[in-house]
């Protein structure tokens, strides 16, 4: 529901310091330097139980531990060490709310859910870059026939336009760190987006700027 290609400032990068290195000033400094060294892609994705599902997909913060667990975890595949582990993912629901507000203060592009309303996360329906009403040929499609979006259903294509707020639906951010953008011959975030979609996540907003 949100995407940006941004050059992070040190203050913002410090908020994304991984829990596993927060007690080591040298690693924190290296992490901030890495995050501000080149552009990063920030994604805001949503699905039921989004925080746990995304953390399960990312794997442990230490890429070596991730590889020992499952070579197909995102950090196992793209990470090299604790500082350059490829991804930052919100570690809890409270952190997810904080991250969404910090990274997408203008709001995200989706229908407002009860959670978003309670946490005062804006829905950016007027933003010219992600507004589904611009150009006019785009439109939001609502379905009264289904109560939820099931990515395992055989008629998945017919559910793509379903935009119904769910009590368990969560919205959170995923940041792809600079090495994933600058050290590859092709944009790896395309594969990441495909894998997220296969796991039931829906990107309801995106931006590169």
């Amino acid at each position: 529901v949100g995407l940006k290609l941004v050059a992070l400032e040190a203050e913002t990068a410090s908020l994304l310091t991984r829990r596993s290195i927060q007690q080591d000033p040298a690693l924190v400094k290296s992490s901030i330097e890495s995050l501000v060294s080149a552009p990063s892609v920030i994604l805001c994705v949503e699905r039921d139980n989004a925080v746990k599902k995304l953390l399960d997909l990312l794997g442990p913060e230490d890429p070596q531990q991730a590889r020992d667990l499952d070579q197909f975890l995102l950090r196992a595949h793209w990470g090299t060490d604790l500082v350059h582990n490829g991804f930052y993912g919100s570690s809890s629901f409270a952190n997810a709310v904080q991250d969404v507000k910090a990274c997408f203060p203008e709001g995200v592009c989706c229908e407002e859910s009860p959670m978003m309303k309670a946490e005062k996360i804006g829905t950016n329906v007027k933003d010219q870059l992600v507004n589904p009403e611009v150009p006019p040929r785009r439109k939001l499609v609502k379905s009264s026939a289904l109560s939820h979006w099931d990515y395992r259903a055989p008629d998945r294509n017919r559910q793509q336009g379903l935009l119904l707020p769910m009590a368990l639906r969560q919205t959170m951010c995923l940041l792809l760190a600079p090495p994933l953008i600058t050290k590859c011959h092709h944009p790896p975030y395309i594969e990441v987006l495909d894998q997220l979609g296969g796991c039931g996540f829906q990107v309801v907003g995106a931006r590169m700027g």
Side-chain angles (χ1 to χ4, degrees):
V1 297
L3 184 151
K4 291 181 178 179
L5 177 62
V6 299
L8 294 173
E9 297 182 355
E11 181 178 356
T12 303
S14 65
L15 300 176
L16 305 177
T17 303
R18 301 172 180 90
R19 291 178 301 169
S20 56
I21 66 172
Q22 288 178 352
Q23 303 304 316
D24 190 323
L27 288 179
V28 170
K29 182 175 182 293
S30 297
S31 177
I32 294 175
E33 290 176 348
S34 175
L35 288 173
V36 302
S37 65
S40 297
V41 171
I42 304 178
L43 297 176
C44 183
V45 296
E46 70 171 17
R47 62 153 291 163
D48 296 346
N49 200 20
V51 175
K52 181 181 185 305
K53 291 294 185 179
L54 183 57
L55 292 178
D56 288 345
L57 183 61
L58 293 175
E61 293 184 344
D62 186 336
Q64 185 55 56
Q65 292 181 10
R67 283 188 284 272
D68 292 341
L69 186 64
D70 185 344
Q71 62 177 328
F72 296 108
L73 295 172
L74 291 179
R75 285 176 175 146
H77 187 72
W78 298 106
T80 57
D81 53 50
L82 274 174
V83 173
H84 307 95
N85 73 353
F87 301 88
Y88 166 85
S90 304
S91 58
S92 66
F93 175 73
N95 284 345
V97 171
Q98 174 183 307
D99 293 340
V100 171
K101 290 181 176 180
C103 297
F104 297 91
E106 72 283 356
V108 293
C109 184
C110 63
E111 184 171 311
E112 185 180 54
S113 67
M115 181 278 293
M116 293 173 62
K117 184 175 183 179
E119 299 295 342
K120 298 181 180 179
I121 296 175
T123 53
N124 191 13
V125 295
K126 296 301 181 182
D127 188 279
Q128 297 300 307
L129 292 179
V130 296
N131 182 9
E133 298 175 358
V134 179
R137 65 176 179 272
R138 298 179 183 175
K139 63 180 180 179
L140 291 176
V141 179
K142 297 182 181 180
S143 171
S144 59
L146 298 172
S147 60
H148 70 286
W149 189 84
D150 186 0
Y151 69 93
R152 296 165 298 182
D155 59 341
R156 178 179 174 184
N157 290 335
R158 292 190 300 172
Q159 302 185 68
Q160 294 297 324
L162 185 63
L163 296 171
L164 299 177
M166 298 292 296
L168 295 178
R169 185 164 294 264
Q170 297 176 343
T171 305
M172 63 179 298
C173 289
L174 172 65
L175 181 146
L176 279 64
L180 288 181
I181 309 301
T182 58
K183 295 185 178 180
C184 297
H185 297 295
H186 66 284
Y189 54 83
I190 295 176
E191 298 177 16
V192 173
L193 287 171
D194 183 66
Q195 193 166 356
L196 287 171
C199 291
F201 287 94
Q202 181 182 15
V203 179
V204 295
R207 177 176 297 171
M208 294 187 177

